[in-house]
């Protein structure tokens, strides 16, 4: 049975999820939202060749009894030790090359595997059967002396290897007596000795990632948690454009039979804002700089008009949603969807997230490209959209498909856009614009408070004129709309806990939606609760709850979107940027200071 015990590898161009037994079960090309060549995670319905699962690349031992995956320290390079019943051992090293070369970042559409004998006389089977056409069919092949060519779409790929080609084509086991190398990449001749070149790529990729991690400003406590989360967030950025995807997968359901199976391989303005916010806390400015380039292109294309909640990694606006009939789905729980109809929704919080993501570029002198007055003028058009939208109904951050309201979170994000524009204008020497935006923000704050604050309960509501609660109200303090010491925030926190907290977990809301009543907790909301507990002085409780969340992580140290609050099982797309952001933020908030070790 498929599980989320999966280990991501990647290079910010392509990525793959490797299961605990050295099988590539998910991965797309030529980018994260492209055609899946590895897709067994979603259980293709077609009959595979004998002993050759559809959409998979597996390296297995004959009579295998154990598999032990682990990452090379401070990298996304995965080593899996396989052991057979006679004591034979093999190490499988998996990575996507990433290194500086000729003044550029070398990050090809390529997946590399090195198979090393460790002990005994292990017999291995190499089973490679990539898919094409949305996972609907096996990729046809041609072969040569040292390569196999796979006719994939939109571009063919070539496996170059020093392993016996015949053994790969027929899938028969053979004795592993020397290190074997596999380079699945562009359909072009491999230049140089494959063993030497792959050893060099492994060394350079390891050095690159460990150098990147060395530049992070991490907290004293939970360092491994923060480092693994940061590396994986970095893998979720498509470096060519700067886009940051919400997750690497599609259609992992929120719970058994939920039908909430969505494609998360796109860039949500909201999710990306939280990702750069968390990585900024660690000083990973390269992710911010790339994302700001992406945002500037999105704003230019909108021409002062409506901003969509999500776009493709290349910035395309149309993400037509369809069901792939050739899959049974994760654990047989379809449907499998490609594309996401949420791109057609109105979600006003995007205006605030654009401004908040961009604001640092006007203040941080470490950036290679600081923002200019021209950039501020462009952001003002986003602010004007926020002014027009803040008191208008939308689908909200939870993306309701059949109902709309004026959501407090969206309104406050629009207010935050104007509030930050005032601060930016003051910093860059535009006092008239600072006064305008400050006055505008003040009017918006007053209107939001009037419409959402309940005098009887002395708390905020989740919608204008309503009394509903949802977990996004916990963001009012983080967004600086209210002070964490304000009794109104304390009362709101108490009310949210009473209605939405389920033991160690937090629901996003408790009411029925388009698909019924939620049955799982939203992990990011639990981290919002931990943050709110910290802000209101409940640090001991916050640390205990954070420790419980750490226990929910997969063996790879990661989290998906949702958790069954009854069983603790993870559900939803994986790895989820929201959840990784929560791991980082709460570690930063709760850690003892470095001065504690002096």
């Amino acid at each position: 049975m498929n599980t989320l015990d999966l280990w991501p590898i990647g290079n910010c161009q392509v990525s793959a999820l490797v299961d605990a037994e050295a099988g590539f079960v998910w991965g797309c090309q030529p980018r994260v939202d492209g055609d899946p060549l590895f897709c067994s995670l979603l259980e293709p319905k077609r009959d595979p060749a004998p002993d050759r699962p559809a959409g998979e690349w597996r390296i297995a031992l004959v009579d295998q009894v154990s598999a032990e995956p682990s990452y090379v320290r401070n990298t996304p390079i995965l080593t899996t030790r396989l052991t057979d019943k006679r004591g034979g051992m093999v190490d499988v090293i998996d990575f996507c090359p990433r290194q500086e070369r000729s003044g550029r970042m070398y990050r090809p559409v390529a997946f590399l595997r090195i198979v090393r004998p460790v002990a005994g006389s292990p017999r291995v089977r190499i089973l490679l059967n990539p898919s094409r056409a949305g996972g609907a069919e096996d990729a046809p092949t041609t072969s040569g002396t040292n390569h196999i060519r796979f006719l994939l779409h939109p571009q063919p790929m070539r496996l170059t290897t020093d392993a016996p080609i015949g053994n790969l084509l027929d899938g028969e086991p053979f004795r592993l007596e020397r290190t074997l190398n596999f380079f699945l990449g562009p359909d072009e001749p491999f230049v140089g000795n494959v063993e030497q070149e792959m050893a060099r790529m492994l060394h350079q990729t390891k050095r690159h990632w460990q150098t990147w991690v060395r530049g992070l400003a991490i907290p004293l406590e939970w360092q491994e948690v923060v480092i693994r989360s940061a590396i994986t967030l970095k893998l979720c950025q498509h470096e060519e454009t700067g886009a940051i995807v919400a997750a690497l997968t599609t259609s992992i359901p929120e719970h058994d039979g939920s039908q909430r199976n969505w494609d998360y391989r796109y860039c949500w303005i909201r999710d990306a804002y939280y990702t750069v916010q968390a990585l900024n806390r660690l000083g990973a400015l390269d992710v911010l700089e790339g994302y700001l380039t992406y945002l500037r292109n999105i704003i230019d294309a909108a021409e002062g008009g409506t901003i969509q909640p999500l776009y493709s990694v290349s910035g395309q606006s149309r993400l037509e949603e369809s069901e792939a009939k050739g899959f049974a789905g994760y654990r047989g729980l379809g449907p499998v969807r490609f594309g996401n109809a949420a791109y057609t929704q109105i979600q006003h919080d995007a205006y605030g997230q654009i401004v908040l993501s961009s604001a640092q570029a006007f203040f941080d002198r470490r950036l290679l490209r600081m923002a200019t007055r021209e950039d501020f003028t462009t952001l003002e058009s986003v602010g004007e959209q926020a002014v027009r939208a803040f008191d208008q109904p939308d689908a909200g951050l939870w993306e309701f498909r059949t109902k709309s309201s004026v959501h407090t979170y969206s309104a406050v994000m629009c207010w935050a856009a104007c509030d930050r524009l005032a601060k930016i204008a003051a910093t860059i020497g535009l006092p008239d614009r600072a006064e305008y935006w400050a006055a505008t923000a003040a009017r918006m704050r007053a209107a939001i408070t009037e419409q959402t604050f309940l005098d009887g309960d002395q708390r905020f509501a989740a919608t204008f004129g309503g009394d509903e609660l949802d977990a996004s109200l916990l963001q009012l303090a983080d967004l600086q709309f209210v002070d964490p010491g304000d009794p109104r925030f304390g009362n709101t926190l108490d009310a949210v806990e009473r209605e939405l907290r389920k033991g160690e977990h937090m629901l996003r809301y408790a009411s029925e939606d388009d698909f019924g009543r939620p049955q799982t907790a939203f992990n990011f909301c639990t981290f919002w609760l931990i943050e709110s507990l910290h802000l209101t002085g409940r640090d001991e409780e916050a640390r205990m709850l954070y420790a419980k969340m750490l226990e929910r992580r997969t063996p790879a140290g990661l989290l998906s979107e949702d958790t069954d609050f009854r069983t603790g099982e993870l559900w939803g797309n994986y790895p989820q940027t929201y959840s990784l952001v929560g791991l980082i933020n709460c570690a930063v908030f709760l850690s003892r200071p470095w001065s504690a070790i002096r």
Side-chain angles (χ1 to χ4, degrees), residues 314-334:
S314 64
Q316 293 175 329
S317 59
R318 296 184 63 85
L319 305 173
E320 299 290 349
E321 185 176 300
S322 62
E323 293 187 12
K325 302 300 184 181
F327 291 96
Y330 177 77
R331 298 187 184 176
L333 300 171

Side-chain angles (χ1 to χ4, degrees), residues 55-77:
E56 192 169 288
W57 187 3
R58 185 166 299 281
I59 296 174
L61 298 188
V62 175
D63 298 324
Q64 183 174 307
V65 295
S66 68
E68 300 175 8
S70 62
Y71 282 117
V72 175
R73 178 175 175 267
N74 293 354
T75 77
I77 300 169

Side-chain angles (χ1 to χ4, degrees), residues 289-312:
E289 288 180 316
Y291 179 60
L292 290 182
T293 297
Y294 179 80
L295 270 188
R296 286 190 287 269
N297 282 296
I298 293 295
I299 295 169
D300 286 349
E303 297 181 340
T306 301
I307 299 291
Q308 292 180 191
L310 69 153
Y311 296 84
S312 77

Side-chain angles (χ1 to χ4, degrees), residues 544-556:
M544 291 176 60
L545 190 55
Y546 185 60
K548 291 294 184 181
M549 288 302 293
L550 295 183
E551 294 174 4
R552 305 296 186 208
R553 292 174 301 151
T554 65

Side-chain angles (χ1 to χ4, degrees), residues 81-262:
R81 174 155 293 183
L82 307 177
T83 304
D84 66 28
K85 68 180 183 181
R86 293 171 297 278
M89 291 184 185
V90 166
D91 280 347
V92 181
I93 302 169
D94 296 322
F95 68 104
C96 298
R98 178 176 172 81
Q99 65 193 71
E100 291 188 18
R101 191 170 78 177
S102 302
R104 296 173 295 170
M105 186 61 67
Y106 176 67
R107 40 175 171 74
V109 178
F111 306 90
L112 279 62
R113 314 196 77 172
I114 299 173
V115 185
R116 291 175 177 166
V118 176
S121 302
R123 290 171 57 79
V124 300
R125 181 180 283 116
I126 313 294
L127 304 172
L128 174 56
N129 188 22
S131 295
R132 70 175 188 177
E137 60 190 41
D138 294 338
T141 63
T142 61
S143 61
T145 305
N146 299 111
H147 76 268
I148 303 174
R149 185 171 182 258
F150 297 94
L151 303 180
L152 296 163
H153 299 307
Q155 58 193 39
M157 296 185 73
R158 178 185 298 222
L159 177 73
T160 302
T161 182
D162 51 10
I165 290 294
N167 292 127
L168 303 187
L169 292 172
D170 60 26
E172 291 299 316
F174 60 95
R175 180 179 288 212
L176 184 70
E177 296 183 335
R178 60 183 176 84
T179 296
L180 298 179
N181 300 274
F182 303 86
F183 183 98
L184 180 61
D187 182 29
E188 55 193 37
F190 190 93
V191 178
N193 179 285
V194 65
E195 180 176 18
Q196 294 175 1
E197 287 300 308
M198 285 184 56
R200 182 187 59 78
M201 290 181 198
L202 176 62
H203 172 74
Q204 293 294 334
T205 300
K206 175 182 175 181
R207 181 175 180 179
H208 168 83
W209 283 105
Q210 291 183 340
T211 300
W212 185 80
V213 168
R214 189 165 172 248
L216 298 178
I218 60 175
L220 174 60
E221 297 182 82
W222 305 296
Q223 293 186 27
E224 291 186 4
V225 173
V226 170
I227 289 171
R228 183 53 51 199
S229 298
I231 288 173
T232 309
L233 286 179
K234 174 73 172 171
L235 292 182
C236 290
Q237 181 167 51
H238 184 68
E239 196 167 65
E240 181 178 319
T241 63
I244 301 169
V245 297
L248 298 179
T249 57
T250 178
S251 303
I252 309 298
E254 292 184 15
H255 59 81
D256 188 346
S258 72
Q259 297 291 302
R260 305 170 194 260
N261 300 26
W262 311 119

Side-chain angles (χ1 to χ4, degrees), residues 285 288 359-371:
L285 296 182
L288 171 65
Q360 185 168 340
F362 293 90
F363 297 88
D364 195 332
R365 296 191 175 276
R366 295 173 297 170
L367 294 169
L368 295 176
R369 181 195 183 279
M370 291 191 67

